[in-house]
Amino acid sequence: KISIVGQNGAGKSTFIKLLCKFYRPTNGVITIGGNNIWDIDNNQYYQLIAAVFQDYQNFAFTLEENVTFGSTDRSVKSLFSEVGLKNLIDRLPDGINTYITRNFNTQGIELSGGENQKLAIARAIYTHPTILLGDELTGNLDSTTSISVMKFLKKMCKKYSQTMIIVTHDERIAAMADRIIQMKDGRVV
């Protein structure tokens, strides 16, 4: 579990986007297991990683579909509970089959910023990626919920032997990592 810290503009988000193959490095290489990530087939690579960004997007589907995208590999009910959405789902007449927004269903709901963030986190960890990347992934959560979600993510990472790399400005979140990397001017300092 690695936290990446630094001032605004230090290159933290760019680093995460490089890991996601959104940008190609202008010099040097990024490797996993000694293999340049650009030599790994995208379909194979994107099965290894999952990311939650500070500018995530949820979709006008049901709560369940936002996480599973139609996959029936496993249930999401316990996952919703673990990320802190159980109380919301228990209050909804259609539970996990409730639509977010009213684009496709007049009974759809609008989620708060924190609820939307929890849904995005649930989607990222649903497939148990080898590497979980987060760019201020608890930024819309209150401090108590933020710590609770991070404890859950640490537990999940340990259970599934995952690597977690989190960009954060929150010192409490950074301190939960095994290692803290500070960046300045696009470099690890």
Side-chain angles (χ1 to χ4, degrees), residues 1-170:
K1 290 81 180 158
I2 300 168
S3 290
I4 301 174
V5 299
Q7 298 294 319
N8 290 340
K12 303 177 304 292
S13 294
T14 300
F15 175 70
I16 295 295
K17 290 175 182 177
L18 283 163
L19 292 176
C20 289
K21 293 174 71 171
F22 294 168
Y23 305 140
R24 191 179 285 267
T26 53
N27 57 48
V29 294
I30 301 168
T31 61
I32 293 181
N35 299 305
N36 184 333
I37 65 171
W38 288 91
D39 293 337
I40 301 171
D41 175 72
N42 283 345
N43 289 329
Q44 183 182 6
Y45 187 72
Y46 290 127
Q47 288 179 9
L48 295 174
I49 69 167
V52 179
F53 295 96
Q54 51 192 329
D55 56 351
Y56 60 86
Q57 177 66 50
N58 289 322
F59 306 95
F61 304 144
T62 67
L63 290 160
E64 181 179 36
E65 290 167 337
N66 261 277
V67 172
T68 66
F69 287 102
S71 168
T72 56
D73 289 348
R74 65 183 142 281
S75 171
V76 295
K77 287 183 181 179
S78 64
L79 181 59
F80 281 141
S81 179
E82 294 284 356
V83 298
L85 288 172
K86 182 183 183 326
N87 290 340
L88 168 71
I89 290 171
D90 287 349
R91 290 192 316 262
L92 300 171
D94 292 327
I96 62 175
N97 295 310
T98 301
Y99 279 84
I100 60 171
T101 79
R102 292 186 175 92
N103 292 356
F104 298 122
N105 185 301
T106 57
Q107 301 303 310
I109 61 167
E110 296 294 328
L111 298 176
S112 70
E115 291 165 341
N116 268 305
Q117 186 117 30
K118 291 174 189 177
L119 187 61
I121 291 168
R123 179 174 47 249
I125 61 177
Y126 175 72
T127 60
H128 302 302
T130 303
I131 302 169
L132 176 63
L133 305 170
D135 188 356
E136 297 291 348
L137 81 138
T138 61
N140 286 329
L141 304 178
D142 63 70
S143 60
T144 303
T145 304
S146 182
I147 295 296
S148 175
V149 166
M150 287 307 298
K151 285 180 180 176
F152 165 69
L153 291 175
K154 279 186 72 168
K155 183 175 79 174
M156 290 294 292
C157 286
K158 184 174 184 175
K159 180 177 179 180
Y160 294 104
S161 299
Q162 296 167 315
T163 297
M164 180 170 58
I165 303 172
I166 304 294
V167 168
T168 185
H169 285 104
D170 187 327

